[in-house]
């Protein structure tokens, strides 16, 4: 992987971490401020959080593998 590709992947990891953190914030706000009344929001917010965290973890793993090899 070229230096440019590594930079791009690092940028993608940082972006995906920010997105995952935003989803985690939504989940936190739901728990802290809107439950139990907002229980209907749980599936959407938890699924979005899970997907965002998985995307970050996958990209992070690709970056770590590329940096080793």
């Amino acid at each position: 992987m070229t230096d440019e590709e590594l930079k791009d992947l690092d940028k993608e990891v940082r972006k995906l971490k920010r997105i995952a953190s935003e989803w985690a914030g939504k989940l936190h706000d739901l728990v802290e401020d809107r439950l139990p009344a907002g229980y209907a929001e749980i599936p959407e917010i938890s699924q979005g959080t899970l997907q965002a965290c998985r995307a970050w973890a996958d990209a992070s793993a690709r970056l770590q593998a590329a940096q080793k090899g």
Side-chain angles (χ1 to χ4, degrees), residues 45-61:
I45 293 176
S46 62
Q47 186 64 33
T49 304
L50 179 62
Q51 289 173 343
C53 289
R54 280 183 178 160
W56 167 79
D58 290 346
S60 184

Side-chain angles (χ1 to χ4, degrees), residues 29 31-32 39 55 65-66:
D29 291 346
V31 170
E32 289 289 318
Y39 74 92

Side-chain angles (χ1 to χ4, degrees), residues 13-39:
V13 167
R14 285 184 276 124
K15 176 185 171 186
L16 291 171
K17 184 176 182 179
R18 179 186 51 78
I19 291 169
S21 294
E22 289 172 3
W23 275 102
K26 290 178 187 181
L27 186 59
H28 176 268
D29 291 346
L30 174 64
V31 170
E32 289 289 318
D33 301 332
R34 297 191 304 276
L35 287 181
Y39 74 92

